[in-house]
Structures are given as C-alpha cells and as structure tokens.
Amino acid sequence: MDDKVLLQVQNLRKYFHVKGVKGPGVQAVEGVSLEIKKGETLGLVGESGCGKTTLGRTILRLHEPTSGRIVYDGKTIYDSGSIDIPELDKNGRQILGKDGKPLMKKSKKTSADMLPYRRKMQIIFQDPSASLDPRMTVGEIIGEAIDIHKLTNTKAERTEMIKSLLNSVGLNTEHANRFPHEFSGGQQQRVGIARALAVKPEFIVCDEPISALDVSIQSQIVNMLEDMQEDLGLTYLFIAHDLSVVRHISNRIGVMYLGTLVELGESYELNKHPLHPYTKTLLSAVPVPDPEKSRERKRIVLEGEIPSPMNPPAGCRFHTRCPYATEKCKEAIPELKEYDKGHWAACHVLG
Ligand code: SF4
C-alpha cells in the first residue's frame, strides 16, 4: 500500500427528492468525509439502508452528489463550492499560517467530465445476474467496455484481451460465446469482475460483491479480489453488511449509520477496541467459531427500528436506539473526532 491518497471525499451529501413531498427528501448520505490511499481496501459496513451503497455510487457520480467535494488522484471531480480546503503552494504543499496551522480557503464549484474517470473508477455490482445484459454474450459484455474506451486497435487484439480477462477471473475462453443465464451466480460475478477489469481501472467500488452468492463461493471471490489487488495494485472501497467479511479483506473500516459515518479506523484496532456504541453492537453479532467463547459473549440487541432517512432524528442520528443516549445527544450532532492515531468516532460520551 502506498502513502499517496487516491480518493478524498469531503462533507459529501446525497439527498433524493421525493415527488410531492416538501423538504430535502431521502437524506441517504449526510456529510461523509474520508480518504482512501492507493492500494488500500477501505471496508464500509452498516445495516441495509444505511447509505453505504449510495455513498459508493455517489463517489463514482453514478448518482450526482447533492453537495460536498470529491477529489480523485489530486483532481477535483466534483465540488459544490464553498468547502474549506487548504491553500497550496506551487509544489502542492500546504501553506502554514503564523500559528503553524494550514491556511484555508473556500473551494470553487467544479463538475468534471467523467468519461476519463469512468475508465479509472469502476464498480462491481451486488447482484451479478441483474447487472449483466441477458441479450448479450459474455464476450460482448466485456468487449463493450473495451470499445467505449477504445482500448484495442484491431479485432484480433480485442478477442485476445477478452480471452485473457476471462482466464484472469478463472473462466475459459469458450465462455465468451455463452449468455449470462448459462452461468452459476459465482461465475456471473466473475464475468462482472472481468468487465470491471477490462478498462484497466485503478479504483473499484465493490458493492456487496458476495452477498448474493452461496457461502461456498464467497471466499473464492474474496480471495480472487485480494489476488487481483496485489497483482494490479488496485484500490478498493469494499461495501458489505457482514463485518466478518469486511474485516478479513480491509486495511481500514468505516461504519455507517443512517447516512453518517460513525466510526473509522484500522481494521484490527476497530475490531479489538471499538469506540462507538453502534460498532460494538455490530461486532457483538459477528459469529465466533469457538462454542465456549460464543456462550460467554453477550450479544447487544438494539431496541426499535432504524429510523427513516426521510425524517432522521435530530442530534445524533443513533440516539433513538442508543443505550447511552443523553439529552445532549437529542440536540447536538456529534463530530467525528480522532481518539487514537487513525481511529475516529462520532459520539458525545467519548468526550
Ligand atoms: Fe449514543 Fe449519544 Fe454517542 Fe450518539 S452521541 S452514539 S446517542 S451516546
């Protein structure tokens, strides 16, 4: 893993307007900020409906952001404007003020043409059968991406590239002439991965890539993604609701609740010393292979349902279900603060 930051997201919001309803609509992602280093896997976990898939798609601008800033490889690909950013000198270094703190300025509105970034930033979808066009052969599906980005000059080169991609994901070259319905779920996901790899991406949003697959196939796909990362130097945002999978593959983990990022830290540290009450709840639900340890462990069960993102609670969004909630939690939004090196959480009771 490199020290270079490949992706930076600042105060990103995504609201979906609901026809006939006044107000902001569905507040799916609320003020999320994070960074991903080159070659890193950042895992993103949370219950279904917490906004993790929307966040992944908004980063790729498959959903247009409502506000915030996205910087990819040093280039701003989206900026709603007026975001606090550091002043840089000619060499790209931060300029410090007299007090030693970085000088800040307001960012300018930007919306980059995404075509060049579509090649660099790819996605592997959750449901492989729904993401592959049933009328196209596997060769056509993979070839389509090659054609859009004009990656080969001759028909022979294109055919060679498709064959090599199929081999790299453990499929045979004759699979190129078959249709998606002729494959198992695991094979369909391999096709989805080959399609993403066809354009030689740098960054891939893996959107619950194994949750629709049999347990026996899941580890094969995870291992394949890990091998590909090592071979090709890929950077992943790995989205899943299963913390046991995410902690296996991720260098760092972000925990989301109702559109907000509530904790972020190194995978080992977050698993051993979780800070946020919601992370502790998620970890208590992860099965332990040792029956004795499993009996000793106390599972934390949250009261109530996850509130609607159309009308999220004021203050800390988790306060309606949090066993430690105080009056302050109902009014004030907790800030994401660093409590240990690289370990961040948003909770008033942590101080
Ligand atoms: Fe619970 Fe309050 Fe912390 Fe939110 S801020 S997690 S409600 S204690």
Side-chain angles (χ1 to χ4, degrees), residues 129-191:
S129 61
S131 72
L132 303 174
D133 189 332
R135 295 160 305 178
M136 292 168 84
T137 64
V138 162
E140 287 167 344
I141 289 169
I142 299 171
E144 191 181 35
I146 297 172
D147 297 340
I148 289 172
H149 295 280
K150 300 184 180 71
L151 298 177
T152 53
N153 296 319
T154 63
K155 209 172 164 192
E157 250 184 75
R158 182 181 184 272
T159 310
E160 244 348 275
M161 193 170 173
I162 292 169
K163 281 183 188 170
S164 142
L165 281 161
L166 286 172
N167 289 333
S168 72
V169 295
L171 294 173
N172 299 325
T173 46
E174 68 261 24
H175 285 145
N177 299 320
R178 298 202 197 156
F179 288 90
H181 73 267
E182 296 177 70
F183 292 92
S184 67
Q187 286 174 318
Q188 287 174 344
Q189 194 54 293
R190 285 171 191 268
V191 175

Side-chain angles (χ1 to χ4, degrees), residues 276-277 316 318-319 322 324-325 329 334 347-349:
H276 197 278
C316 172
F318 188 50
H319 85 252
C322 179
Y324 310 103
C329 304
C347 175
H348 293 308
V349 297

